[in-house]
Amino acid sequence: NAGVTQTPKFQVLKTGQSMTLQCAQDMNHNSMYWYRQDPGMGLRLIYYSASEGTTDKGEVPNGYNVSRLNKREFSLRLESAAPSQTSVYFCASLFRARNTEAFFGQGTRLTVV
Amino acid sequence: AQSVTQLGSHVSVSEGALVLLRCNYSSSVPPYLFWYVQYPNQGLQLLLKYTSAATLVKGINGFEAEFKKSETSFHLTKPSAHMSDAAEYFCAVSGYGGATNKLIFGTGTLLAVQP
């Protein structure tokens, strides 16, 4: 049981380049989330998908787009990367019901130069 | 809207001393509350979660937290710190259903344990 898998683990981009971060879960969860983690700022919610076919903005959505491809997969796209998007990105999933635990991927460390 | 405030970005304790990490929440609906731990270069792992059944919640590794509605708090405690407890701890809040399905985290508290 792999849980939540994120790819890639590391990435360096030049300013203006685009890329997609991939996330897949095999736990049959219906809700999925993308966060960024920056020192002193905790985890900030970028976008989430409460269920297949829906996506909503979180706290810091500017500069990002998402796609809920199917129940398993939730991708995050940076159309034109900026140095301010240098961060560690985490994907998470959970069962949309009371008090369920969110499971996290191992993170993607992105550097934009 | 939901939010979480963690008081103290860095906390240092001696091995064997009491650990107290503070979390206050704001929620327009009955909250569901969580504490997660993050070890260096790893993802987040659930320590404990609040269910409406009991206000005192016990988690893994000897941690526990008490839900106090009157104080809107959910502080994390451990009676005796161990070196292996050194990590970053995050409090999180969510609600059930609709727009409250967001899972919102605090800014984290880095716990150092001194020998």
Side-chain angles (χ1 to χ4, degrees):
Chain A
N1 188 346
V4 180
T5 303
Q6 287 183 237
T7 55
K9 288 185 169 52
F10 300 94
Q11 184 71 50
V12 178
L13 289 179
K14 294 182 179 178
T15 298
Q17 286 185 317
S18 63
M19 79 161 295
T20 299
L21 281 64
Q22 307 286 353
C23 176
Q25 53 89 12
D26 60 3
M27 296 172 284
N28 201 34
H29 287 168
N30 42 18
S31 294
M32 298 185 73
Y33 303 79
W34 275 106
Y35 294 89
R36 60 178 290 173
Q37 184 177 22
D38 304 289
M41 305 191 77
L43 278 79
R44 292 182 291 168
L45 182 62
I46 304 171
Y47 271 93
Y48 68 105
S49 172
S51 59
E52 186 178 356
T54 69
T55 60
D56 288 284
K57 295 179 179 179
E59 302 165 284
V60 289
N62 291 344
Y64 304 95
N65 286 300
V66 290
S67 295
R68 185 72 183 267
L69 305 170
N70 48 55
K71 192 172 186 180
R72 291 186 62 249
E73 298 172 288
F74 188 39
S75 64
L76 178 71
R77 183 161 179 84
L78 287 70
E79 291 291 352
S80 179
S84 61
Q85 294 178 304
T86 294
S87 187
V88 180
Y89 292 85
F90 286 99
C91 177
S93 71
L94 61 79
F95 223 177
R96 187 169 175 245
R98 288 188 178 215
N99 303 315
T100 55
E101 172 185 355
F103 288 82
F104 284 80
Q106 290 298 299
T108 296
R109 188 173 295 274
L110 175 66
T111 302
V112 183
V113 297
Chain B
Q2 296 159 296
S3 66
V4 169
T5 301
Q6 292 185 242
L7 296 176
S9 58
H10 291 79
V11 170
S12 182
V13 300
S14 298
E15 192 173 19
L18 171 72
V19 175
L20 171 60
L21 305 183
R22 299 178 185 275
C23 173
N24 289 89
Y25 70 91
S26 173
S27 179
S28 56
V29 297
Y32 300 103
L33 295 158
F34 309 84
W35 276 99
Y36 284 83
V37 60
Q38 185 181 34
Y39 298 101
N41 300 314
Q42 294 189 25
L44 276 72
Q45 176 185 0
L46 182 71
L47 271 180
L48 50 81
K49 60 186 179 185
Y50 166 67
T51 68
S52 57
T55 56
L56 183 62
V57 181
K58 294 188 183 299
I60 62 172
N61 301 336
F63 284 93
E64 62 182 36
E66 186 172 9
F67 172 70
K68 293 187 177 181
K69 185 178 179 180
S70 61
E71 298 177 9
T72 61
S73 69
F74 190 57
H75 301 331
L76 182 71
T77 60
K78 182 174 180 177
S80 177
H82 192 273
M83 297 296 288
S84 60
D85 295 327
E88 190 157 22
Y89 292 81
F90 294 93
C91 183
V93 63
S94 72
Y96 176 64
T100 61
N101 197 53
K102 295 180 182 181
L103 178 60
I104 302 296
F105 284 82
T107 52
T109 298
L110 188 62
L111 176 66
V113 181
Q114 308 298 329

